[in-house]
Amino acid sequence: MRLYNTLTRTKEEFKPMVEGHVKMYACGPTVYNYFHLGNARPFVTFDTLRRYLEYRGYDVEFCQNFTDIDDKMINRANEEGVTVKDIADRFIKEYYVDADGLNCKRPTYQPRATESIDAIIGLVQSLMDKGYAYVIEGDGVYYDVTKFKDYGKLSHYKLEDLVAGGGERKASYEGKKNPGDFAVWKFKKEGEPSWDSPWGEGRPGWHIECSAMIKKYLGDTIDIHGGGQDLIFPHHENEIAQSEAANGCPFANCWVHNAFVNVDGEKMSKSLGNFFTIRDIVKHFPYQVIRFFILSGHYRMPINFSDELLRSAQNGLDRIVTCANNLRFVIGKNSGDGSEDELLLSQIKTAGDEFIKVMDDDLNTADAITVIFNLVRDINTAVASGKVSDDALKAALDKLVELTGVLGIETEAEDDGIPSEIMELVEQRTAAKKNKDYAEADRIRDLITSKGYSVKDTPQGPQVEKL
RNA sequence: GGUGCCAUAGCCAAGCGGUAAGGCCAAGGUCUGCAAAACCUUUAUGCCCCGGUUCAAAUCCGGGUGGCACCUCCA
């Protein structure tokens, strides 16, 4: 598989350190609120990368953190008059509602920053011991960016430019040796949660938690580190500086960054106020549609959000799901002689091969969906021909479920069964049709529809589905 | 000021030097008692503009124009 590596700015052949085993980390949410569509993109993207790697036979260790201590957490807690932990507990729970809804598999590890304080302090200690960090009295422990010779290698920013660029921006330099220095440990302020440390009571800086949790759960060097493009600088740059300085070895071999979700061409963000939470969107569109929408473009390209685009995604997804449902209905009732099996079987094979080919090329989910649409057309044509055996249709269904499954798309509605009341109506309608009493047949169909079910007449008999 | 990304049909979108995938929408047709689902057909002699390289460019190079992002919490 080839992946675009932000570090080298090229697509590279992905080779994990240990054959068949992948260590992967993605920056998770700060749990102070419901997450929005822009936040959802990396969750879905890296879940899909993880699923695909597993599909290709890798054993994937996937770690995604919860940031449960920072300014936003503290502010929210103060606003509501509850503890920071209360906020964290609440929104981690809410996170799972949406993440599960989006069908993101639970990561192998999902640590909270506040449960990794020991690891954080250990890392800060290493930085102090090696002379990379210094204390600013009454403020915190800071990382000296000039001590790390590779600083800027991920973002490709030069230290001089960063300083120069500070022009109109009023960065607070007080006490810092360099404008780019950042806190790895912040000393306690009144009313803030804090932990003991060799330098005084306080809490971790933002960047240090990821470095620490990666070290703790995955090791000093990992294969893939992911996140949104806005994290490249300073967050990921600083993670590299901290981890490589402390551990003395490469931090992450491949850096994968997803592009943003835009609204009217502008980045969806909390600060612009143009964001839509998943919780709100799901009032209008199923989770599955949101996931499909996110995957319908390449992860490194911006996607625009609008109702119209979601609707378009929904219609497209329906085509795929309908195909699977039709297959499930027709298998077992079909009387095809198998004369067209060979064609369908070869189309299934092609779809599987193509799927891997496009996904191997930097996780091209947009092309992967195209492959699925092509398979859907082939299947529909085969079903309509009436010349395909059940075995071939079964193989087609299996492949369709397999490929959509790699994308985290489920084609199987939870089947509560069709109530007997509905089935009786369907039989009455069939009888009415037989007597050519079409008015009665249509009346019954309307009745069935009003009860939340649809009936389609097929060569194999009436197909009933929950709406 | 520094650093990147993007521009393809009505909408979305892939394409990574070999002659424009796919989806949505729309129109026409086939099937159906009618529907639904499905299938077929139609929809960019052209990929922002101007140069250049090449037998060959949406794809590479140079220069424009327009948009976006990062350099500050941000997915």
Side-chain angles (χ1 to χ4, degrees):
Chain A
M1 172 177 206
R2 276 151 45 90
L3 274 177
Y4 183 87
N5 187 352
T6 308
L7 208 47
T8 56
R9 291 183 176 171
T10 53
K11 280 190 210 171
E12 294 173 353
E13 189 59 35
F14 172 67
K15 289 210 56 133
M17 293 174 289
V18 176
E19 200 181 327
H21 190 96
V22 178
K23 287 171 185 280
M24 161 173 164
Y25 182 92
C27 292
T30 301
V31 283
Y32 71 109
N33 210 335
Y34 298 101
F35 64 85
H36 62 66
L37 182 61
N39 302 309
R41 190 170 191 190
F43 304 154
V44 168
T45 298
F46 295 110
D47 174 67
T48 304
L49 176 57
R50 183 250 188 114
R51 285 170 179 268
Y52 183 65
L53 289 169
E54 287 176 346
Y55 178 63
R56 296 309 309 281
Y58 291 103
D59 173 27
V60 180
E61 256 184 298
F62 177 43
C63 182
Q64 185 186 72
N65 70 301
F66 285 118
T67 296
D68 61 347
I69 174 69
D70 82 332
D71 291 349
K72 294 189 291 289
M73 294 291 303
I74 292 167
N75 292 340
R76 180 84 193 219
N78 288 342
E79 279 166 24
E80 301 201 3
V82 298
T83 67
V84 168
K85 186 169 185 307
D86 289 336
I87 295 294
D89 289 346
R90 176 173 157 208
F91 286 108
I92 284 174
K93 217 173 133 199
E94 300 293 2
Y95 165 87
Y96 281 125
V97 171
D98 289 326
D100 290 349
L102 288 168
N103 206 19
C104 293
K105 284 178 68 175
R106 297 284 178 110
T108 322
Y109 314 106
Q110 210 158 12
R112 299 183 183 204
T114 57
E115 291 171 352
S116 309
I117 298 294
D118 288 352
I120 290 167
I121 289 173
L123 203 53
V124 175
Q125 187 66 60
S126 298
L127 293 174
M128 287 297 281
D129 292 347
K130 297 187 179 187
Y132 284 96
Y134 59 94
V135 172
I136 299 178
E137 288 305 326
D139 188 341
V141 181
Y142 278 77
Y143 187 99
D144 182 345
V145 294
T146 61
K147 292 276 166 63
F148 185 66
K149 64 179 188 316
D150 284 337
Y151 195 81
K153 72 174 173 182
L154 179 69
S155 59
H156 300 90
Y157 291 160
K158 292 190 174 68
L159 230 32
E160 312 88 86
D161 294 338
L162 288 174
V163 180
E168 331 87 67
R169 307 174 198 287
K170 41 176 195 276
S172 58
Y173 289 24
E174 298 93 54
K176 289 205 259 180
K177 292 184 179 173
N178 314 285
D181 291 355
F182 55 91
V184 291
W185 189 260
K186 297 179 173 181
F187 292 147
K188 179 178 182 172
K189 288 192 206 130
E190 201 45 48
E192 290 186 0
S194 64
W195 291 263
D196 274 329
S197 86
W199 314 279
E201 269 191 81
R203 59 183 170 98
W206 173 36
H207 316 297
I208 197 80
E209 62 169 88
C210 289
S211 284
M213 287 186 268
I214 286 169
K215 185 178 174 69
K216 179 173 174 183
Y217 290 94
L218 298 175
D220 288 357
T221 306
I222 61 175
D223 296 299
I224 296 172
H225 190 131
Q229 279 175 349
D230 48 359
L231 296 183
I232 294 172
F233 191 91
H235 185 54
H236 291 161
E237 193 69 62
N238 291 351
E239 281 185 49
I240 291 175
Q242 294 164 155
S243 291
E244 299 198 350
N247 300 330
C249 62
F251 179 48
N253 291 325
C254 185
W255 287 86
V256 180
H257 292 98
N258 63 275
F260 303 127
V261 176
N262 293 336
V263 179
D264 297 328
E266 278 190 317
K267 176 183 175 180
M268 179 183 291
S269 72
K270 295 250 166 74
S271 44
L272 283 173
N274 61 349
F275 63 90
F276 295 82
T277 64
I278 297 300
R279 205 54 70 87
D280 280 337
I281 297 171
V282 86
K283 288 173 188 160
H284 307 284
F285 298 96
Y287 279 110
Q288 172 112 305
V289 169
I290 300 171
R291 181 173 181 113
F292 186 77
F293 170 70
I294 289 172
L295 294 175
S296 65
H298 184 93
Y299 76 89
R300 283 192 291 114
M301 291 297 160
I303 48 176
N304 216 40
F305 166 80
S306 74
D307 260 33
E308 187 196 349
L309 294 173
L310 260 304
R311 232 174 292 122
S312 172
Q314 168 136 43
N315 290 339
L317 179 58
D318 281 349
R319 179 174 164 78
I320 295 168
V321 172
T322 299
C323 174
N325 286 338
N326 289 348
L327 273 179
R328 291 192 183 94
F329 175 77
V330 84
I331 289 171
K333 303 180 187 69
N334 150 65
S335 55
D337 60 7
S339 59
E340 297 273 322
D341 281 9
E342 204 176 313
L343 175 64
L344 181 60
L345 259 19
S346 85
Q347 288 165 331
I348 292 167
K349 170 86 163 59
T350 301
D353 293 346
E354 283 292 307
F355 183 86
I356 287 173
K357 186 179 145 205
V358 299
M359 289 290 276
D360 262 355
D361 186 10
D362 199 26
L363 202 76
N364 196 334
T365 54
D367 271 350
I369 287 170
T370 288
V371 169
I372 290 169
F373 275 123
N374 288 337
L375 178 62
V376 164
R377 158 153 308 154
D378 292 338
I379 291 170
N380 286 336
T381 301
V383 170
S385 80
K387 295 178 181 168
V388 184
S389 72
D390 271 351
D391 284 349
L393 291 180
K394 184 69 173 46
L397 178 59
D398 287 348
K399 182 57 75 175
L400 187 57
V401 169
E402 173 187 319
L403 299 184
T404 50
V406 175
L407 299 180
I409 302 295
E410 309 294 341
T411 58
E412 195 150 16
E414 66 281 15
D415 187 12
D416 308 327
I418 306 297
S420 56
E421 176 205 9
I422 300 296
M423 288 316 292
E424 277 169 34
L425 288 171
V426 170
E427 277 165 35
Q428 285 172 30
R429 174 171 173 273
T430 303
K433 275 183 64 183
K434 208 165 187 175
N435 297 331
K436 299 213 185 312
D437 186 354
Y438 296 121
E440 174 66 1
D442 289 349
R443 188 190 68 78
I444 298 172
R445 183 168 58 196
D446 288 346
L447 187 59
I448 293 169
T449 303
S450 73
K451 291 178 184 293
Y453 291 83
S454 71
V455 201
K456 308 194 271 196
D457 295 324
T458 78
Q460 289 77 28
Q463 181 177 349
V464 191
E465 279 171 7
K466 191 165 184 176
L467 288 173

